[in-house]
Each structure stands twice: as C-alpha cells, then as structure tokens.
C-alpha cells in the first residue's frame, strides 16, 4: 500500500486529485451513519449529554433505551415502536443505534417500505419473510469432534481405479495439535475435499465433526500471527484439552434460514442439483404450510432444550410507503405467536393511507396499527447541536476544517437541514484540495453555495421562473 502511494505522488497526472492518504484508505468505507456507535446511555438509562456519537435527542434516546431493555428481557416481542420526526432528525440513526445496543447475536432486519413492491413476490410475502428472518434460533449441540492446530496435511495418492490415467487421493493424513498433545488422523478423501474447500493450510485451527466429517476452520493459530497488520485473519489460541473430545457447538440461525433451506432442499453435490440452483433464480414462495412444519420442528427442539428462540427486530423505514393490504397483514403478523419486535420510522404527518382514496391518518398509518405502536418523536436540532454533528462527521471522514467553518456550516444547517450541512462537507473538502489547501476554509463553503443549492432555494428559484427566462 505504501509503495503505491509513493509512486503515484512522484508522477502527478495533470491536475488529478492526489490519491487518498494512507490513513483514510485504511479505514473502512464511511457510511452516513458510521459515527453512530450506540445510544450512548448511562447504566441507569439516562442520556447524559452526548454519547456514542449521538448528539442531543435525549428524550428519544432514553425512550429507545427502554425499548432495548424490554427487548433484552423478551417483553416487547409482537409490539411496535414508531419513530416520527422531520427529515434528517436522526430516526434511521436511532434505529441503527438500537441494533448496535442489542449486539450482533440478536437478528436485526432492516428494510424500506417500498421494498414490498416486487413484481415477482407478493407484498405480504416480503413482509412475512422479513419477520421470519428476524426470529433467531440458537442451537446448542454437544458433538464429538477432533480439534487442534493442523501440523501436517498429506494426501496419500493411489492409482485411479477408473481411468488408468492420473491418480486419486486414497486418504489424507492430518496431524492435529492441542496444548495437551498431538494426534495423527487418517481420513477419508471426501474430508480432504472439504479441507481444500475451506482453504485449510498447516497452522490453521480446525475441528472435524466425528459423525458427519464436516470440517470447520476456526481461525489461524496465534503462533503464526505475523507482523503485517493489513490482514483480515482471525487468530485463535491453541485449543485446550485433548484432540478428540466432546465440544459444545453453538449455532445461530434464523427461522428464515430454515424456511429457505426446506423450500429448496439441496440434494447432495451432484451436478444436477448445482444446475437446478442456478436455473431457479426466481424467488420461490415459502408456503404457510411449510412455515407451520418448521415451527413444529423448532418447537420440538425448544422443548428438548436443544434450541433457544431469540426474537430479533424488524426495522421498516419510511413506513408510510406501505399500503392498506400490508398494514392489515402487519396487524396479523404482530399477533402471531412468534413475532419479533418491530420498529417503524416515518417523516410524514397526516397523510393519505396508500392504497386508499379517502382515509387520511396520522403518519399515513391506519389507526388500528397505530394503536399497537408506542410512538417516539425526534426533535429538530438547535444550531449548537448541528455544529457538533458537523464536527463529528468531519472527524469521522478525516476532513480538517479551518476556523469558523463549522459555525458557517451550522448556519447553513439551521437554514435548510442538518443533512444539507453534512452533505456540504465532502465536496467542500475536495474544493479545498483542488485549491491546494490542507483544510476547508470559509471561502470553500462560499464557493459551494455558488455551485449547489439547498432544497428551499432551488424550489423558490423555479417558482420565480428564474430558469424559464434562461
Ligand atoms: N443526534 C444525532 N447525532 C449525530 N448524528 C446525527 C444525529 N441525528 C442525525 N444524525 C446524522 O444526520 C444524518 C441524517 O439523519 P437520519 O438519516 O437518521 O435522518 P432521518 O430522521 O432518518 O431522516 P429521513 O426522515 O429523511 O429518513 C445521518 O448521517 C445521521 O447519522
Ligand atoms: Mg431515514
């Protein structure tokens, strides 16, 4: 990486932008909400000032904190939270913060209201699928496994009995090492295929299930941890105990996964089943009957204590885009025995319910569904809060700002919206770079205002016919 930047800077191409600095290139892609790390609440659930990347919005954050607690106690499934507020006041950000507070083990399925309008799948089917994907299932199994760091991997070849040309693998010798000892296993060629598929090499920590022969790579042994830091490798310690042992394996799947696996049973690894899965790209519907079957099996597991149900969260952004049929179906889904928590967000006030011609309801949601929601409002931002968010985003995006710039952007934000102010940040930094400045100065913002318009100005200009005379 260093090498590439140095060559590029030694031969500048015309007036192209200098390549992004190494530090900016290293961090992951920056999304609009990447500064949000959680709700930023204290242990007693109070939002003291700003925290976890969230500025202000204390009431809404505390309310969401209560919901997170209820979800963790499993007391909120089958109910709904509705976030309402003007555009750019942080509704989507709040929903993401909720998912971060819940952690990665709780399924969180975001969707946008308009996603239900597909030409191939029924609207209700899309909703039903999201709801199924938001119910997690944690399966605990005790299995007999061979686990350890691979010390040896030698396939033993033999004459091919079928063709006479070439050789086939007769068996494979795998050496496994743990803290306690080592063991050499002589394994079937099918397991060798699995090993190749998982790209396992000497020095990896793996386990092989004794019954099924399934091979799983856990990570690379930390004895092999290298000094390069540009790697996506997970290093794990050498396993403890014997190589051959009973191990409790925990798998997290969702009901949606189970449905999908059952609707398209994969028959072995022969060529026909591979072809079949290529041709059948259209989404097949999971029938209600199949779902009931899956539920029955799951219930059996839960009763035996093998599995545990983890209700997750469905987040439907821009919920006013759904129509009456969807809303009625949502009512039913919310009342089903295995329902996740639902979070809606909308920026509409009173509006027509989609799919009807005369029903005007608050937020474009029929009153019977609103009845089932707890509503949380997000407030608009004061100037000072806008400037804090702008400063935060500048830090996250690695943009340097000169004196007075944040204040100027806050003024812009106050005039139009927080989002507009945030949006000016990146183009302004490019202007600054083109002008050979290391940081954004007030003049860059001034130039930005000449180049780009905010929504209100542009609408009023069209209204005045400023473009018509052209
Ligand atoms: N309180 C806050 N603290 C920090 N960043 C915020 C805050 N509120 C909003 N933001 C940021 O401002 C931007 C706009 O917010 P967001 O997308 O959540 O608005 P929204 O309410 O979902 O708007 P819309 O109704 O248009 O969907 C995002 O980049 C978001 O991360
Ligand atoms: Mg939004």
């Amino acid at each position: 990486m260093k090498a590439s930047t140095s060559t590029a800077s030694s031969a500048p191409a015309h007036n192209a932008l200098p390549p992004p600095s190494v530090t900016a290139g290293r961090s992951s892609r920056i999304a609009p909400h990447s500064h949000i790390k959680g709700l930023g609440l204290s242990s007693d659930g109070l939002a003291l000032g700003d925290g976890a990347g969230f500025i202000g919005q204390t009431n809404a954050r505390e309310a969401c904190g209560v919901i997170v607690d209820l979800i963790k106690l499993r007391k909120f499934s089958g109910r709904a939270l509705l976030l309402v507020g003007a555009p750019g006041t942080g509704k989507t950000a709040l929903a993401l913060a909720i998912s971060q507070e819940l952690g990665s083990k709780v399924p969180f399925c975001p969707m946008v209201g308009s996603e239900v309008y597909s030409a191939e799948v029924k609207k209700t089917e899309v909703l039903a699928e999201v709801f199924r994907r938001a119910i997690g299932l944690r399966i605990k199994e005790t299995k007999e496994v061979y686990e350890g760091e691979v010390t040896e991997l030698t396939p033993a070849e033999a004459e091919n009995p079928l063709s006479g040309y070439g050789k086939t693998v007769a068996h494979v010798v795998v050496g496994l090492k743990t803290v306690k000892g080592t063991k050499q296993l002589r394994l079937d060629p099918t397991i060798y295929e699995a090993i190749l598929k998982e790209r396992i090499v000497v020095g990896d920590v793996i386990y092989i299930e004794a019954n099924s022969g399934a091979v799983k790579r856990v990570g690379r042994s930390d004895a092999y941890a290298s000094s390069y830091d540009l790697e996506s490798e997970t290093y794990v310690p050498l396993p403890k105990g014997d190589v051959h042992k009973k191990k409790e394996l925990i798998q997290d799947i969702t009901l949606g996964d189970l449905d999908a696996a059952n609707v398209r049973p994969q028959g072995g690894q022969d060529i026909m089943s591979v072809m079949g899965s290529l041709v059948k790209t259209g989404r097949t519907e999971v029938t209600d009957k199949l779902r009931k079957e899956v539920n029955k099996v799951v219930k059996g597991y839960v009763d035996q204590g093998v599995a545990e149900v983890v209700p997750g969260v469905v987040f439907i952004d821009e919920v006013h885009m759904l129509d009456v049929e969807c809303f009625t179906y949502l009512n039913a889904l919310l009342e089903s025995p295995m329902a996740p928590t639902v979070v809606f967000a909308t920026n509409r006030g009173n509006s027509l319910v989609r799919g009807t011609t005369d029903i005007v309801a608050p937020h474009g949601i029929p009153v019977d569904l609103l009845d089932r929601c707890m509503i949380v409002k997000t407030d608009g931002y004061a100037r000072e809060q806008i400037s804090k968010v702008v400063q935060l985003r500048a830090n996250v995006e690695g943009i340097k700002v000169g004196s007075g710039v944040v204040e100027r952007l806050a003024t812009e934000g106050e005039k139009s919206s927080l989002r507009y102010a945030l949006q000016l940040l990146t183009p302004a930094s490019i202007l600054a770079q083109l002008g050979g400045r290391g940081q954004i100065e007030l003049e860059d913002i001034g130039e930005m205002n000449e180049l780009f318009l905010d929504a209100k100005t542009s609408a009023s200009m069209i209204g005045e016919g400023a473009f018509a005379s052209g």
Side-chain angles (χ1 to χ4, degrees):
M1 197 139 184
K2 271 197 185 106
S4 71
T5 30
S6 64
T7 49
S9 55
S10 63
H14 306 290
N15 53 3
L17 285 180
S21 68
V22 179
T23 42
R26 274 294 299 280
S27 59
S28 56
R29 201 186 79 89
I30 295 159
H33 301 288
S34 44
H35 59 290
I36 306 282
K37 302 278 184 270
L39 289 168
L41 301 177
S42 65
S43 55
D44 48 359
L46 295 177
L48 302 167
D50 312 325
F54 239 108
I55 311 288
Q57 215 61 271
T58 41
N59 281 342
R61 272 160 61 201
E62 285 175 11
C64 288
V66 174
I67 304 290
V68 167
D69 287 342
L70 284 173
I71 295 174
K72 282 187 180 158
L73 293 172
R74 312 212 169 154
K75 294 239 167 75
F76 202 69
S77 44
R79 286 199 257 173
L81 168 72
L82 173 62
L83 299 169
V84 300
T89 47
K91 298 179 295 295
T92 309
L94 272 174
L96 292 178
I98 292 180
S99 93
Q100 264 148 350
E101 293 288 333
L102 288 172
S104 61
K105 295 287 178 207
V106 180
F108 184 85
C109 300
M111 69 175 282
V112 181
S114 35
E115 269 176 54
V116 298
Y117 302 103
S118 146
E120 280 162 24
V121 188
K122 277 190 301 193
K123 291 178 260 191
T124 52
E125 189 54 35
V126 178
L127 287 175
E129 201 189 304
V130 183
F131 271 64
R132 296 286 284 182
R133 271 196 281 123
I135 300 279
L137 205 57
R138 182 160 302 163
I139 302 174
K140 283 193 226 92
E141 276 178 300
T142 335
K143 278 194 175 155
E144 217 180 293
V145 295
Y146 295 94
E147 187 183 38
E149 179 194 316
V150 179
T151 54
E152 179 190 356
L153 194 63
T154 10
E157 294 187 333
E159 292 291 336
N160 191 340
L162 295 178
S163 73
Y165 298 110
K167 300 212 163 149
T168 57
V169 176
H171 63 260
V172 56
V173 177
V174 178
L176 290 178
K177 183 172 92 177
T178 64
V179 176
K180 228 173 165 186
T182 54
K183 203 179 184 94
Q184 211 177 33
L185 306 169
R186 217 182 121 167
L187 300 170
D188 197 66
T190 53
I191 297 184
Y192 185 57
E193 272 168 31
I195 288 177
L196 289 183
K197 221 177 185 174
E198 291 260 326
R199 297 167 190 273
I200 290 164
V201 291
V202 170
D204 289 351
V205 174
I206 63 166
Y207 65 80
I208 305 172
E209 283 177 23
N211 301 341
S212 62
V215 181
K216 181 106 189 7
R217 183 171 183 276
V218 186
R220 189 130 180 95
S221 170
D222 54 11
Y224 287 78
S226 56
S227 49
Y228 306 118
D229 47 9
L230 212 128
E231 268 184 319
S232 59
E233 187 61 272
T234 46
Y235 290 100
V236 291
L238 199 62
K240 297 189 191 71
D242 289 313
V243 170
H244 184 195
K245 65 180 157 211
K246 287 212 160 62
K247 185 180 164 82
E248 183 161 275
L249 301 174
I250 296 179
Q251 268 183 344
D252 285 302
I253 55 168
T254 69
L255 290 187
D257 296 336
L258 283 181
D259 292 344
N262 284 302
V263 81
R264 220 177 290 163
Q266 220 106 65
Q269 292 173 330
D270 62 324
I271 189 74
M272 279 318 286
S273 69
V274 175
M275 292 296 283
S277 63
L278 286 181
V279 176
K280 232 194 310 180
T281 46
R283 290 168 65 183
T284 29
E285 269 193 25
V286 180
T287 58
D288 238 14
K289 191 162 161 248
L290 183 94
R291 291 210 173 97
K292 288 216 177 83
E293 290 291 316
V294 171
N295 281 357
K296 220 194 269 166
V297 176
V298 167
K299 196 165 173 299
Y301 283 156
V302 173
D303 289 344
Q304 288 168 32
V306 179
E308 187 191 349
V309 175
V310 187
V313 179
V314 170
F315 171 48
I316 307 183
D317 210 350
E318 320 290 342
V319 65
H320 52 263
M321 284 305 295
L322 298 179
D323 62 8
V324 256
E325 292 163 40
C326 297
F327 286 126
T328 330
Y329 194 62
L330 273 178
N331 283 341
L333 279 179
L334 279 172
E335 271 159 27
S336 67
M338 272 204 234
T341 302
V342 185
V343 179
F344 299 125
T346 178
N347 54 18
R348 299 293 156 91
N350 274 325
S351 62
L352 197 69
V353 177
R354 223 182 128 122
T356 64
T357 50
D358 54 344
I359 304 177
V360 174
H363 314 301
I365 302 173
V367 278
D368 49 347
L369 182 58
L370 274 179
D371 241 12
R372 294 170 166 85
C373 294
M374 299 188 55
I375 303 180
V376 170
K377 182 176 162 294
T378 53
D379 303 318
Y381 292 112
R383 202 193 137 98
E384 180 194 334
Q385 289 165 330
I386 296 181
S387 68
K388 277 188 189 163
V389 179
V390 169
Q391 183 65 59
L392 199 67
R393 283 301 299 181
N395 294 348
V396 168
E397 296 190 27
I399 295 172
K400 288 205 188 69
V401 286
S403 64
V405 169
V406 171
E407 288 71 35
R408 178 69 195 277
L409 282 175
T411 318
E412 294 292 335
E414 211 180 11
K415 260 198 291 173
S416 43
S417 75
L418 168 64
R419 214 184 247 132
Y420 178 65
L422 292 181
Q423 242 150 10
L424 287 183
L425 215 50
T426 322
S429 82
I430 290 179
L431 274 189
Q433 275 185 23
L434 283 176
R437 287 179 291 276
Q439 57 181 24
I440 304 179
E441 299 293 351
L442 277 178
E443 52 185 293
D444 297 318
I445 306 289
E447 200 175 338
M448 292 294 304
N449 273 344
E450 283 166 28
L451 293 176
F452 300 106
L453 304 174
D454 66 299
K456 275 182 213 148
T457 322
S458 104
S460 67
M461 281 173 94
I462 300 253
E464 285 160 13
F467 290 90
S469 56

